[in-house]
Amino acid sequence: MVESVVYFQAGESKLEHHQILKLKEWMSPFLNQNLDSVLLVGSADRSGNLAKNRKLVKERIQNIRQVLLSLGIDSQVLQSESLEPIFGRTAEERKLFRSVGIKLSISE
């Protein structure tokens, strides 16, 4: 299992250009390997409107998914999980919750 995390600004779901490049660079060594599954786990912090935060989680996952598909990742191995927005006590905790985790399962 190989993991990475992409962080987002508050209220944002779009990837910035440098984030796309970083994601592509991170994925590059795994593109020629046999990926059993790619799990995208999206989360948000609870500050603000709950419905909007739930929507942001789905949009964030979808944007990461589109980048992975553009790299040639088979849609059949892509899975996603949307977590309920999480209450963060500090600004730093809230920042960490505005993310999508990427978990690659690679067969030998």
Side-chain angles (χ1 to χ4, degrees):
M1 179 87 50
V2 181
E3 298 182 30
S4 184
V5 180
V6 177
Y7 297 98
F8 293 83
Q9 296 294 322
E12 294 294 323
S13 62
K14 292 187 179 181
L15 289 164
E16 296 177 13
H17 183 68
H18 75 278
Q19 290 174 301
I20 294 170
L21 293 176
K22 189 175 178 182
L23 179 56
K24 287 180 176 182
E25 182 179 321
W26 179 75
M27 280 297 302
S28 182
F30 308 111
L31 295 176
N32 293 325
Q33 297 189 29
N34 192 13
L35 296 173
D36 289 329
S37 67
V38 177
L39 176 61
L40 305 177
V41 181
S43 64
D45 70 277
R46 285 231 23 183
S47 54
N49 182 284
L50 184 59
K52 183 177 179 186
N53 285 331
R54 286 178 176 150
K55 183 179 176 191
L56 278 171
V57 171
K58 291 178 181 169
E59 290 172 355
R60 290 170 178 165
I61 290 171
Q62 186 59 30
N63 287 331
I64 298 287
R65 179 182 172 82
Q66 290 304 317
V67 172
L68 297 179
L69 289 172
S70 78
L71 293 173
I73 301 296
D74 184 354
S75 64
Q76 298 295 320
V77 300
L78 283 169
Q79 304 168 6
S80 63
E81 181 180 343
S82 298
L83 301 177
E84 276 295 306
I86 304 164
F87 178 75
R89 288 180 229 144
T90 67
E92 191 59 35
E93 279 184 354
R94 289 188 295 276
K95 182 178 178 182
L96 293 174
F97 295 143
R98 296 188 296 263
S99 62
V100 173
I102 305 166
K103 298 178 182 183
L104 307 178
S105 178
I106 304 167
S107 54
E108 297 294 319

